Amino acid sequence: MYLVILAGGHGTRLWPISRKNTPKQSECFFDKKTLLQITYERALKGFKKEDIFISCGKSQFSLLSKQLKNVKKENFIIEPEARGTAMAIGFACVRLLKKDKDAIIAIANSDHFIKEEKEYIRILRLADGVIKKNPNKLMLVGIKPQYPETGYGYIELGKLFSKIKNDSIYNIARFKEKPDLKTAKKYISSGKFYWNPAWFVFRAKTMIDLFEKYLPNHFKALDEIYKHLAKKDLSLIEKKSFSKVE
């Protein structure tokens, strides 16, 4: 399993601390380390450094690479321009598929605070095992809500899919975005809703197949990049392909 850290966000909701040229993942909130550095150190507790990749924009590479001096350039997945989370994940998929046709990817966010790091790594490893047995499924880790937060998305649990020792894995009934306070309180009291941190685990090939079905324009751009990954003028092909995507 490979871990892809999404570090390309601009952090606009934390302005003026977070700015375009210094987004929040590059800022220090705890001790003297940035959120990105903390995320990377956490990843090293469960992954080999060669299996950890940083996804960011071309304009951010210089800043972020200075913060992760021990990370080789080939472990950065550099987008020519920002095209949103879907394209960032798809781009990571085609890059890693070229390396490993059976690649399983876990998505991490560079600006998340995670206190229980051992449990976080354990859950990702659990998800890896589930995907190996169910390669056509996607896994999404949910967080049990502590209070009726109105700024987060929620996941409603469906029927039980599997039980592995003390861990229960459910089908997803539906997603609910940022409810009002009254609705959020109902979600909490029902016990059927979890916060959605967007921690996905999936087989790269499965994700690309879903792009083809649901985001055909993204798929065309990604397929074009994949077919030309061995070419010397790849950066020009990537830029041209990205420009076609909303």
Side-chain angles (χ1 to χ4, degrees):
M1 180 167 62
Y2 303 93
L3 185 73
V4 174
I5 299 172
L6 300 181
H10 292 299
T12 53
R13 285 183 290 181
L14 270 183
W15 185 90
I17 295 172
S18 180
R19 295 174 179 270
K20 187 175 181 179
N21 294 326
T22 54
K24 64 178 180 287
Q25 63 268 24
S26 67
E27 295 291 329
C28 297
F29 290 88
F30 307 98
D31 300 321
K32 296 181 180 179
K33 296 176 182 178
T34 67
L35 293 177
L36 176 61
Q37 288 170 329
I38 292 171
T39 300
Y40 186 76
E41 289 179 5
R42 179 191 310 125
L44 286 173
K45 295 177 181 179
F47 295 82
K48 297 176 182 177
K49 63 181 181 179
E50 57 266 30
D51 293 336
I52 303 170
F53 292 81
I54 315 297
S55 169
C56 68
K58 185 178 180 180
S59 62
Q60 299 163 318
F61 171 69
S62 178
L63 171 66
L64 301 184
S65 61
K66 288 176 183 176
Q67 295 188 1
L68 300 175
K69 294 179 180 179
N70 293 325
V71 178
K72 295 179 180 179
K73 187 173 182 180
E74 53 260 39
N75 281 73
F76 278 88
I77 299 173
I78 305 170
E79 300 174 282
E81 52 188 279
R83 281 294 182 270
T85 304
M87 194 60 176
I89 290 175
F91 191 40
C93 285
V94 297
R95 282 282 304 276
L96 289 173
L97 275 172
K98 199 68 176 179
K99 175 184 175 70
D100 178 358
K101 64 180 179 63
D102 298 315
I104 292 175
I105 297 173
I107 297 295
N109 296 277
S110 58
D111 57 357
H112 284 185
F113 172 75
I114 299 173
K115 187 177 180 180
E116 298 178 29
E117 293 186 336
K118 288 184 179 179
E119 179 66 2
Y120 169 76
I121 296 296
R122 186 189 74 81
I123 291 296
L124 291 185
R125 288 297 172 192
L126 175 71
D128 178 46
V130 173
I131 291 300
K132 283 176 179 173
K133 292 181 180 179
N134 303 274
N136 294 321
K137 296 287 186 181
L138 309 181
M139 288 285 289
L140 173 60
V141 179
I143 299 175
K144 189 174 183 179
Q146 303 299 306
Y147 57 91
E149 172 62 53
T150 59
Y152 297 160
Y154 286 74
I155 312 162
E156 182 179 1
L157 302 183
K159 293 182 179 180
L160 183 70
F161 173 74
S162 178
K163 196 166 181 65
I164 303 174
K165 295 183 179 180
N166 294 323
D167 294 295
S168 296
I169 299 162
Y170 294 87
N171 287 299
I172 294 172
R174 57 180 175 163
F175 294 97
K176 287 291 184 178
E177 276 302 317
K178 302 176 179 62
D180 57 34
L181 183 60
K182 183 179 179 181
T183 304
K185 287 180 178 178
K186 287 182 179 179
Y187 290 172
I188 300 296
S189 61
S190 74
K192 295 181 180 179
F193 287 83
Y194 279 62
W195 285 336
N196 183 3
W199 297 341
F200 293 98
V201 180
F202 52 84
R203 188 166 163 259
K205 178 62 169 61
T206 299
M207 181 62 79
I208 292 298
D209 289 344
L210 291 172
F211 269 87
E212 185 174 16
K213 184 176 181 179
Y214 295 106
L215 291 173
N217 288 335
H218 285 64
F219 172 78
K220 288 177 184 177
L222 294 168
D223 190 49
E224 187 176 56
I225 293 169
Y226 181 78
K227 289 176 179 176
H228 294 87
L229 280 175
K231 293 194 174 181
K232 291 182 179 180
D233 60 348
L234 179 61
S235 60
L236 294 175
I237 293 166
E238 289 174 346
K239 188 172 183 179
K240 184 179 178 182
S241 299
F242 266 71
S243 68
K244 299 176 183 176
V245 177
E246 291 184 6

